[in-house]
Amino acid sequence: MKKILWLLTLTFLLSCKKEFIELNPQSTASTNALYKTDKDFQDAVVGIYSTLQGIYQSFWQFGDLAGDDTEQQHSAQLEFVNINNFLTTSATPLLHTTWLDHYRLISRANIVLAEIEKADPAVVVNKNRHIGEARFLRALAYFNLVRVFGDVPMVTTPISIEEGSKLGREKVDKIYDEVIIKDLQDAENKLPVKYTGTEVGKATKGAAKSLLGKVYLTRKNFTGAASKLEEVTTMGYSLLPIYTDLFDYTKDEHHAEYIFDAEYVDGGLGLGSIFSNNFAPNLSQVINFFGLKGAGGQQGAPTAQILTLFDPNDKRKDISIARVADGLI
């Protein structure tokens, strides 16, 4: 019986076709099967956008917390207290996660840009738009990195872990000239002026021009900044007549002031942002007045300096900063 079973097994294996035995893994996707259709690239670009959610949950700490407008008053949040007091070290988790999140975005953008070069425009009908989105997002990531870390590795093609471990840092000026500015110039030419339907919220021509203007301003190229930002003023953007409408989420968030932000599409999956909750005091008055439950960390408390900057008649103050002592909540 054993000999018969062995013979049957051997006969079965010898008679099997190669494709029957060599199966693609069910738990992972082979890149050979990806990046074929327009939908493939659209999904891949969405994957680049998704990294922004993690980046901008904490990016405020570099500017606001370390600046003069907010402070960390809750001593239990030691990391925030240290950042507030300029006691950041190489062991600060914020630096580690910021570095990883930005290079994760860059890696995904590099893969899309490398793969789309081979794509047939007749099949990938939105090829230029996908390139524009990927280059806009890569420029945004590098713009953040050089402002936080200074010289950083410049990676513009897909690389292996081993190759990445051998890379040194490039000078800030080179990254501006060879990646950030060139990416944004290409993006503004390839991106649409606006989107419709479910595409609303993605990078537009106005977003690329605005970021490029900010880049020029950061580099003290004031002539270039004025010229580029002047173009943005002709594209239909304007301030809302009522300032408080910015915080009225019963209205369309993609209004005349909107240029670009990190989008969260919940869809009932619990994937919304908790950003607003983190900045609300954990007080019953806040819950009752705003319908917003604050987090226990008491992040982003306004400083005494910023309170004095508001004119007594400034209508922005009461919606921006609510204090129990003022009877606002």
Side-chain angles (χ1 to χ4, degrees), residues 198-324:
T198 58
E199 300 293 289
V200 173
K202 294 184 176 181
T204 60
K205 189 179 297 291
K209 288 179 181 293
S210 298
L211 185 58
L212 183 54
K214 188 174 182 179
V215 167
Y216 287 149
L217 194 61
T218 303
R219 299 193 81 198
K220 295 181 172 56
N221 177 1
F222 301 121
T223 301
S227 175
K228 188 57 58 180
L229 295 175
E230 181 67 27
E231 294 177 26
V232 179
T233 66
T234 66
M235 301 182 70
Y237 302 109
S238 63
L239 297 178
L240 295 180
I242 303 174
Y243 179 73
T244 54
D245 283 351
L246 284 171
F247 308 96
D248 187 347
Y249 299 118
T250 65
K251 300 178 180 179
D252 184 9
E253 64 177 297
H254 301 104
H255 44 65
E257 281 197 34
Y258 172 94
I259 297 179
F260 181 74
D261 68 1
E263 295 276 323
Y264 282 75
V265 182
D266 191 341
L269 300 176
L271 300 177
S273 174
I274 60 170
F275 197 75
S276 297
N277 301 76
N278 287 339
F279 285 86
N282 194 20
L283 299 171
S284 59
Q285 296 98 321
V286 173
I287 299 173
N288 295 334
F289 187 83
F290 292 104
L292 184 68
K293 184 177 181 180
Q298 309 283 10
Q299 298 177 21
T303 61
Q305 295 97 308
I306 197 171
L307 288 170
T308 62
L309 293 177
F310 285 97
D311 183 273
N313 298 319
D314 194 329
K315 295 181 178 180
R316 296 173 298 175
K317 181 180 179 180
D318 290 352
I319 193 66
S320 301
I321 301 172
R323 301 197 311 170
V324 176

Side-chain angles (χ1 to χ4, degrees), residues 96-144:
H96 182 254
T97 56
T98 299
W99 183 279
L100 288 181
D101 285 343
H102 281 81
Y103 275 104
R104 184 177 293 112
L105 185 157
I106 291 166
S107 175
R108 293 180 183 182
N110 287 342
I111 292 171
V112 168
L113 291 170
E115 293 292 337
I116 206 167
E117 284 297 319
K118 302 172 285 187
D120 182 355
V123 177
V124 183
V125 293
N126 292 304
K127 180 175 180 177
N128 275 345
R129 196 191 87 185
H130 299 321
I131 293 174
E133 290 180 83
R135 296 195 75 168
F136 168 84
L137 293 167
R138 184 172 68 178
L140 175 60
Y142 271 115
F143 186 42
N144 286 345

Side-chain angles (χ1 to χ4, degrees), residues 152-170:
V152 295
M154 190 174 78
V155 187
T156 57
T157 58
I159 60 173
S160 66
I161 295 175
E162 290 74 17
E163 291 171 323
S165 66
K166 298 175 184 178
L167 282 179
R169 298 183 180 223
E170 292 288 356

